[in-house]
Amino acid sequence: MPAHDAREVDVLDVSDLRFPGGTSHSVAEEITAQARAGYSTGLISLNGPLVAKVTPVNRLIRRAVEAGRARLFVGPAPVRAKVVVVRHPAVLQHAADQLPPVDADHVVIVANAAPYDIDGHEHYRPEAVHDIARHRFGREPLWAPIGPLVRDSIAGRVPAHTLTDSDWVNIIDVDAWATQRPAGTRPGDRPVVGRHSRSSPQKWPADAATLRAVYPVDGSWTVRVLGGAGPAEHLLGELPDSWEVLEFGALPPRDFLASLDFFVYFHNPRWVEAFGRTILEALATGVPAVLPPHFERVFGDAAVYAEPDQVRGVIDALYADRAAYDAQVERARGAARSRFGHEAHVERLHRLIGPPSGAPIGTTAPAAAAAAASTAATPRALFVSSNGAGMGHLTRLLAYAQRSVPALEPHFFSLSQAAPVVGNFGHPYEYLPSATATGLEPARWHKYFAARLSATIERIRPSVVVFDGTWPYEGITLVRSAFPEVRWVWSRRGMWRAGKNREQLAKAAWFDVVIEPGELAAPADHGVTTTATAHRVGPVTVLDRDDLGSKAESRAALGLDPSVPLALVSLGAGNINDTSGDLGAVVAALRDLGVEVCVTKPEIATQQGRVDDVHVVREFPLSRRYHAFDLAVSATGYNSFHELLRFGLPTLFVPNHSTALDDQEARAHYAAQQGWAHSLDVVTVDQAKPLLADLLDRGEQMVKRVADADPGNGAAEAARVLTTLAEKG
């Protein structure tokens, strides 16, 4: 069985991954900590009883999978793990039959909620969950309460020896949440106190007297609420003028917390608050937290504790004493890092299963930062791709979209039949067949396009629409006039054939901004876009160099021999044994050199000749696996050209001469002139063989020269342009 099918990991997280709030945020945070430490993570999502609606996997967890920090396992194939971590016992009790066979050395049930809610409803029976876990995983589980109150609620209902000595506390990326608190002077003449939670009766005090004591209604304090205040309004009859209430998701929690002087969190006394993730977020940002005394068992000196009638005195005293206030800020931050930071989670895993099996995996967007922003009322961006000959238009938009998150919420509207790959990145998409695919006359198709695009804009209400293509469709003007509040961007690649497509440049007037993705071969660009107005960014690739897997893991993921020399060939369809064609000639030359061949197209003519030594690789983006190969032979479309050079794969470029507009010859010749790569306009075995041999010998040194000319990935700058435009809208 190839390694990528083995489904073997260090940590297997089992939960209902659709949870919208703290449970999924905690899973995402632990995935990040595990990846950074080198622990591999697998995920199994069970459709439990607590999420009634049909919803997708939580966005934070989807991003972790997309970034390669975790693998989502579906289907009945067995899974092997050093430890299974079940989060939320109710999920296992009601959905264990959805599990595949799992072989594990250890099983931990994280009890992140008490069995009963405030209405007396029993969400799970610890005794039953214990038996289910023992039956499903073949060993007795450990119970890890998330906090002392949950520990109290399950003690006596599970075997005493299975209770962990310490609680399985939530963790947080302290650096991602930290904010600079104002120093020296106060921002106003009265304290700003606030709270962040969902607008649920169990999350608020149960009586008006307690509510008024901890959140004054007389204007002596400014009270800010993120998450809605329906239960408070019900108790008080109306919301006070001195309260500032925002609905859940109206503002990133980190930004909200940074605006407070104190975080005050009191809830229904009948509710067993298992941990209080929003409290931990406040501590990490450096906001002094004032809490009911029962939280002291969880947070210790990181917070201040008071009965409701003591809250006013505690806050007024701290607000008047700057030194005491600053000391509490430092205690909060110190505790957040030492007791609830990523290091604490890595240490408990190490005690349980030993060191990680792999190397650390970095992340470009800390999970906690994503968590902070994911609940915001995020403006939406609609990415519209034309139907090009390859994946270029769609891939560039994905590069922008990935770097726009979490500031923007991406949606896709694509004419490419490859549109489903967008779903692999966790973004919603809609496919519209092109004029060729529908067989409609152009005039009818443009009306069809305009109607479908208008309906999509009406439904998702984007702040900005981004079109990537060299021929903006006539229907765009119709749609734009119907939605004048939306900002429009044309992502327009350069390197057009000299003198071609000049009439299309006038369509820049349809857009608010034109973004031009850069070219490593820009000096060889003689097309009409070179003098046109545009916001020019660096060459755009969907991945960065740090996103690539190592040679060993890439070959394992693709099911390739770990030791033989391998070449990636991406030249389109053809007969691999017909040496009169480019593909066949390249394959023959590589065979003569003792190099095994991997092709990217499944359309090769396998019916003729020997194909047992040719591998077909199908993955998107395949560039994530470029380190699996020793060299490449490729056409010079925008994506492949920039990915191969940027990621350091020695390459023989064979330009496609039949493109209508893209000047692939100019790219290939420029790369060869710079000594970055070799190129051939027409391939024969005799011509290709010495060039390929040279790439095997000194190709790595050749392609290293590219770094001096590479200004960096322009996708991040393009994303900043889009974000700024959306904010202005």
Side-chain angles (χ1 to χ4, degrees), residues 279-599:
I279 299 171
L280 178 56
E281 292 168 354
L283 299 179
T285 61
V287 184
V290 180
L291 310 172
H294 69 79
F295 278 114
E296 188 168 7
R297 294 171 64 188
V298 180
F299 297 108
D301 65 357
V304 180
Y305 308 95
E307 297 294 347
D309 61 356
Q310 300 170 331
V311 169
R312 181 181 290 271
V314 167
I315 287 181
D316 285 344
L318 270 178
Y319 196 67
D321 187 342
R322 184 66 188 188
Y325 181 93
D326 290 343
Q328 187 57 42
V329 168
E330 291 309 309
R331 279 193 292 271
R333 285 177 169 164
R337 185 175 298 279
S338 64
R339 295 164 50 200
F340 307 106
H342 283 190
E343 299 82 359
H345 177 66
V346 171
E347 176 59 27
R348 68 189 174 201
L349 279 181
H350 192 278
R351 289 196 302 268
L352 188 64
I353 63 174
S357 62
I361 300 175
T363 68
T364 56
S374 67
T375 56
T378 309
R380 292 174 172 177
L382 180 62
F383 294 92
V384 181
S385 80
S386 59
N387 185 36
M391 295 282 290
H393 302 300
L394 193 58
T395 302
R396 274 190 297 278
L397 293 181
L398 278 168
Y400 303 158
Q402 289 298 97
R403 291 159 181 83
S404 297
V405 175
L408 296 178
E409 179 183 312
H411 292 250
F412 278 74
F413 183 95
S414 178
L415 278 61
S416 171
Q417 293 182 4
V421 303
V422 173
N424 297 337
F425 286 77
H427 307 310
Y429 68 91
E430 181 177 347
Y431 167 62
L432 175 72
S434 64
T436 302
T438 61
L440 293 175
E441 293 291 329
R444 289 185 61 195
W445 183 85
H446 284 297
K447 291 181 180 178
Y448 172 57
F449 166 81
R452 286 283 300 274
L453 183 57
S454 294
T456 299
I457 292 176
E458 178 69 31
R459 174 169 49 84
I460 71 169
R461 292 292 177 179
S463 298
V464 61
V465 175
V466 188
F467 171 78
D468 191 292
T470 51
W471 297 69
Y473 304 115
E474 297 297 329
I476 286 176
T477 57
L478 298 175
V479 179
R480 172 144 203 187
S481 63
F483 299 94
E485 74 282 2
V486 178
R487 302 298 185 98
W488 288 71
V489 175
W490 184 8
S491 172
R492 186 188 64 201
R493 163 188 65 69
M495 200 63 76
W496 295 4
R497 294 187 184 277
K500 296 288 187 180
N501 218 36
R502 184 179 300 275
E503 71 282 1
Q504 295 298 316
L505 292 183
K507 293 180 178 178
W510 299 357
F511 300 88
D512 297 285
V513 174
V514 176
I515 293 176
E516 183 172 309
E519 290 271 356
L520 287 171
D525 186 354
H526 301 296
V528 296
T529 64
T530 57
T531 57
T533 300
H535 188 112
R536 290 177 169 83
V537 301
V540 171
T541 52
V542 72
L543 299 182
D544 292 307
R545 193 179 183 92
D546 291 343
D547 296 322
L548 273 63
S550 68
K551 181 175 182 178
E553 65 189 24
S554 295
R555 289 199 176 190
L558 295 174
L560 301 173
D561 191 310
S563 59
V564 301
L566 283 170
L568 176 67
V569 179
S570 183
L571 294 175
N575 188 328
I576 62 171
N577 293 306
D578 179 5
T579 58
S580 65
D582 289 348
L583 179 62
V586 165
V587 170
L590 288 167
R591 283 172 173 164
D592 287 349
L593 293 170
V595 178
E596 291 200 11
V597 179
C598 299
V599 296

Side-chain angles (χ1 to χ4, degrees), residues 206-293:
D207 63 276
T210 299
L211 188 66
R212 291 189 181 97
V214 298
Y215 307 112
V217 301
D218 59 3
S220 57
W221 297 349
T222 296
V223 176
R224 289 181 182 160
V225 178
L226 178 61
E233 186 174 12
H234 176 74
L235 285 175
L236 298 174
E238 62 180 0
L239 293 178
D241 292 338
S242 57
W243 285 26
E244 301 171 6
V245 178
L246 299 170
E247 293 304 312
F248 193 84
L251 192 69
R254 180 179 179 274
D255 295 347
F256 172 77
L257 292 167
S259 75
L260 305 179
D261 295 315
F262 297 91
F263 182 82
V264 181
Y265 182 67
F266 281 70
H267 56 79
N268 191 308
R270 295 171 58 199
W271 170 246
V272 178
E273 183 67 72
F275 180 81
R277 182 168 188 86
T278 58
I279 299 171
L280 178 56
E281 292 168 354
L283 299 179
T285 61
V287 184
V290 180
L291 310 172

Side-chain angles (χ1 to χ4, degrees), residues 11 13 26 30 34 83-87 108-112 142-147 151 164-171 275 340 345 348-349 351-352:
V11 183
D13 284 315
S26 297
E30 290 182 6
Q34 288 156 197
V83 61
V84 174
V85 179
V86 179
R87 189 173 283 272
V108 177
I109 300 174
V110 178
N112 55 310
L142 294 173
W143 282 81
I146 204 169
R151 179 179 294 272
T164 57
D165 294 334
S166 58
D167 296 331
W168 193 283
V169 296
N170 284 331
I171 60 169
F275 180 81
F340 307 106
H345 177 66
R348 68 189 174 201
L349 279 181
R351 289 196 302 268
L352 188 64

Side-chain angles (χ1 to χ4, degrees), residues 684-697:
T684 66
V685 176
D686 290 341
Q687 289 176 310
K689 191 172 176 180
L691 297 180
L692 295 171
D694 189 47
L695 289 174
L696 287 170
D697 181 44

Side-chain angles (χ1 to χ4, degrees), residues 586-642:
V586 165
V587 170
L590 288 167
R591 283 172 173 164
D592 287 349
L593 293 170
V595 178
E596 291 200 11
V597 179
C598 299
V599 296
T600 60
K601 293 290 185 180
E603 297 86 4
I604 58 172
T606 58
Q607 296 84 355
Q608 301 181 37
R610 182 166 58 98
V611 297
D612 56 299
D613 57 352
V614 172
H615 310 272
V616 176
V617 288
R618 302 182 183 95
E619 182 169 325
F620 181 83
L622 183 59
S623 55
R624 190 185 302 279
R625 307 301 180 193
Y626 273 2
H627 288 164
F629 306 104
D630 299 290
L631 74 162
V633 183
S634 173
T636 47
Y638 186 93
N639 281 353
S640 55
F641 181 78
H642 290 98

Side-chain angles (χ1 to χ4, degrees), residues 656-668:
N656 182 349
H657 303 280
S658 62
T659 57
L661 189 61
D662 192 24
D663 195 349
Q664 292 203 12
E665 296 97 322
R667 284 199 195 96

